[in-house]
Amino acid sequence: MLDKDGRNALHIAVSSGKVDAFRCLLKHVRPAEVVNRGDHDGDTPLHLTAKLSRIKSALMLLKDRRVDPCLLNRVGQSARSIVEERVAAGEMDTYLVYLWEELKKSEASRCKNQMLPSVATYQSLRSPRAASDNDKYFELSVETYTLVATLIATVTFAATFTMPGGYNQTSGMAIHADRVAFKIFVVSNTVAMCSSIVVVFCFIWAWRDPVKFKLDQLTWGHRLTVVACLAMIVSLMTSVYLTVLPSARWPAYLVIAIGACTPAVVVLILGKEVIYVPL
């Protein structure tokens, strides 16, 4: 089925930015002519990803052998030449440059002996403009995540040597070592510290390949930070449970209730952004 602009469901998924819906459609749509169908302007879904900077959708299409990167729209543009036109106009964005490189590779391997727009050089596309807002966002993200992960690692590392309830002065063992809540504390505290350490190391190496980092590792760094924060909440609840419950029940249960509600409140405020970093 097509809309008034000649676009099918794949076109709509790309234009709306629904990556999960687009991934689902690619799994269930079989005919190659549907995947490569052009709208009234001759733009295939791949052309639209280039026009709208849908990087993840574009990479999914390039991995699909049914997709033809050699197709031209009604004005004689390939997806690669559309990206070149945008970059030459001043949109010197690392996402676009990465997509341009991937489209060039795809054309070089699959479009031999076909008449396509000439390929621009990287030097001809370079813009004298300062770093884009996207690059500034990247720099702030690296600094913020590194700071947060370092703080979590520091706090959880310190908690390892200040076990809830303290130590037995004779044997040196933790007083609550035989309780289930203590075991949960140890595991959650370890998960929080190790997750944050992984984030710190990943972000230290971010500058080595910023484009790849922004597309892949930034998302994983975000998710590991979320895991570390959740694990830290669990370690807080279990430590309060171990140390406060014997003398006062209601404060311990209140802390557990607040801790359990914290993730729900965050999800209620931010929605899916809690898990996904928007590209």
Side-chain angles (χ1 to χ4, degrees):
M1 295 178 64
L2 306 177
D3 66 4
K4 60 182 178 61
D5 298 316
R7 296 182 175 183
N8 59 25
L10 291 167
H11 289 94
I12 301 302
V14 170
S15 60
S16 62
K18 304 296 184 181
V19 178
D20 292 334
F22 186 71
R23 183 184 293 109
C24 182
L25 284 170
L26 282 179
K27 288 180 180 179
H28 291 85
V29 171
R30 299 302 177 195
E33 58 268 23
V34 177
V35 180
N36 292 307
R37 184 183 179 89
D39 59 14
H40 290 338
D41 295 324
D43 290 327
T44 66
L46 185 61
H47 284 92
L48 279 185
T49 60
K51 285 185 174 182
L52 302 175
S53 297
R54 307 300 191 202
I55 308 300
K56 285 189 174 181
S57 298
L59 295 179
M60 281 190 281
L61 285 171
L62 291 177
K63 290 178 182 178
D64 194 321
R65 298 303 299 178
R66 297 171 299 170
V67 175
D68 187 356
C70 316
L71 295 176
L72 305 179
N73 59 16
R74 293 192 182 280
V75 294
Q77 291 179 312
S78 66
R80 185 260 311 157
S81 64
I82 290 174
V83 174
E84 288 178 351
E85 185 179 81
R86 293 183 58 193
V87 175
E91 298 182 46
M92 196 63 172
D93 183 275
T94 49
Y95 292 137
L96 281 178
V97 174
Y98 182 82
L99 178 57
W100 176 59
E101 294 285 355
E102 293 301 312
L103 288 167
K104 278 202 309 178
K105 292 177 186 177
S106 184
E107 283 189 3
S109 62
R110 300 173 60 183
C111 304
K112 296 178 181 178
N113 301 322
Q114 295 197 35
M115 296 297 294
L116 295 174
S118 58
V119 180
T121 63
Y122 180 76
Q123 293 298 326
S124 67
L125 296 176
R126 287 183 64 87
S127 171
R129 296 171 58 185
S132 66
D133 292 338
N134 209 14
D135 292 327
K136 293 177 182 178
Y137 164 75
F138 168 64
E139 294 175 9
L140 291 173
S141 297
V142 171
E143 295 172 0
T144 303
Y145 282 111
T146 304
L147 176 61
V148 171
T150 303
L151 288 174
I152 294 174
T154 303
V155 170
T156 52
F157 181 78
T160 305
F161 298 99
T162 55
M163 293 292 184
Y167 296 90
N168 187 308
Q169 297 300 321
T170 304
S171 62
M173 300 291 291
I175 293 175
H176 298 297
D178 59 337
R179 300 182 63 178
V180 176
F182 182 83
K183 294 179 175 64
I184 296 175
F185 166 80
V186 172
V187 172
S188 60
N189 192 71
T190 303
V191 169
M193 187 180 73
C194 293
S195 298
S196 57
I197 287 175
V198 172
V199 173
V200 170
F201 272 95
C202 288
F203 279 70
I204 286 174
W205 290 97
W207 302 106
R208 188 170 186 176
D209 191 351
V211 175
K212 185 179 185 303
F213 179 86
K214 290 167 73 175
L215 289 171
D216 300 324
Q217 294 165 294
L218 180 59
T219 302
W220 279 108
H222 177 79
R223 291 173 181 173
L224 284 174
T225 303
V226 172
V227 170
C229 290
L230 291 174
M232 193 165 60
I233 292 175
V234 174
S235 64
L236 165 69
M237 292 189 294
T238 52
S239 61
V240 171
Y241 178 84
L242 286 168
T243 55
V244 177
L245 186 64
S247 58
R249 286 180 176 273
W250 73 265
Y253 291 138
L254 180 60
V255 169
I256 292 173
I258 294 173
C261 291
T262 300
V265 172
V266 174
V267 172
L268 183 64
I269 295 173
L270 297 178
K272 290 184 178 180
E273 297 300 323
V274 174
I275 300 176
Y276 299 104
V277 178
L279 291 179

